[in-house]
Amino acid sequence: MTSFAPRSSLVGQSGGGKSTLTRLLLRLMDVNGGRILIGGQDIARLRQADLRSLIAYVPQEPAMFHRSVRDNIAFARPGATDAEILRAARAAHVTEFVESLPDGFDTLVGERGVKLSGGQRQRIALARAILRDAPILLLDEATSALDSESEILVQEALWRLMQDRTALVVAHRLSTVVRMDRLVVLNRGRIVEQGTHAELLQADGPYARLWHHQSGGFLIDDDAPEAIAPQATQTGRRTFQRAEM
């Protein structure tokens, strides 16, 4: 059984099962062994609408609609006021690029946000999460498309957003999650170690090797040349240990 700290991060090599776990939490797929508990409740017993109302989710590739920037942010909470949308946009640093768009917040973003850069789409997705103000924040490599300067600003905004709520962050770049309460290291669908950044470096295990490789060069896994995610069953389900939030 694993219980997540208030601010936890899932780390590990590609194919370790990080994004799969986020899909399980959102019930985009179901476990076929064990349970996932939120507040002591098995999420399999919750209605999808009730579960989603608890979570603000920012994926690596956020969905955009062929509507205005304003509408794309407001999608997180229909009925939000313009002042609330603007406040969320400022916190996610959306206003920095909106001012240069032809019609500002009323600019149409195109199908799937084709008129915006990857970084701009991610900022809008972050603004949605801020506007939603849900008790659980789920980020799947949510700042990967930002440049270094923008990432620093957005990371600070996210850190403020994490206060007084549960946050689970999937990260490939370990430098973005060193301040988290707990880092959970996954390898092929299993938790191989967990702890704070300092504790895991001192343990000199898989996390320490990942950290040193990312600091000094490319990571080459000689032991597992084909890093493959946990295999799905025919029903699209995967097996994970019981986890609590």
Side-chain angles (χ1 to χ4, degrees), residues 197-218:
H197 172 71
E199 290 169 346
L200 293 177
L201 285 184
Q202 187 173 14
D204 198 26
Y207 177 84
R209 289 194 293 274
L210 279 170
W211 175 262
H212 292 311
H213 275 297
Q214 287 195 8
S215 300
F218 292 105

Side-chain angles (χ1 to χ4, degrees), residues 15-18 20 186-192 228-230 239-241:
K18 301 182 296 297
T20 296
L186 293 177
N187 183 33
R188 299 186 180 185
R190 294 183 177 274
I191 296 173
V192 294
I228 302 174
T239 302
F240 270 83
Q241 295 283 342

Side-chain angles (χ1 to χ4, degrees), residues 81-132:
T81 66
D82 284 346
E84 290 171 327
I85 293 170
L86 180 59
R87 186 158 51 246
R90 283 175 176 160
H93 298 274
V94 171
T95 50
E96 294 175 3
F97 71 83
V98 161
E99 294 171 355
S100 64
L101 297 178
D103 297 310
F105 277 94
D106 295 320
T107 302
L108 297 178
V109 303
E111 291 291 341
R112 292 177 293 182
V114 68
K115 296 181 180 180
L116 302 174
S117 69
Q120 290 170 341
R121 290 193 294 271
Q122 280 193 329
R123 291 195 211 185
I124 289 176
L126 291 170
R128 284 178 183 164
I130 293 169
L131 182 64
R132 190 170 184 82

Side-chain angles (χ1 to χ4, degrees), residues 32-77:
N32 60 0
R35 296 183 300 164
I36 298 176
L37 306 179
I38 295 180
Q41 282 193 294
D42 187 345
I43 66 171
R45 297 180 178 274
L46 295 176
R47 295 189 310 161
Q48 286 278 12
D50 293 335
L51 176 63
R52 302 289 171 81
S53 71
L54 298 173
I55 300 173
Y57 174 50
V58 182
Q60 188 171 355
E61 295 291 339
M64 294 287 132
F65 305 99
H66 186 33
R67 304 290 296 272
S68 68
V69 172
R70 186 193 317 278
D71 290 340
N72 270 279
I73 296 174
F75 176 76
R77 184 155 60 89

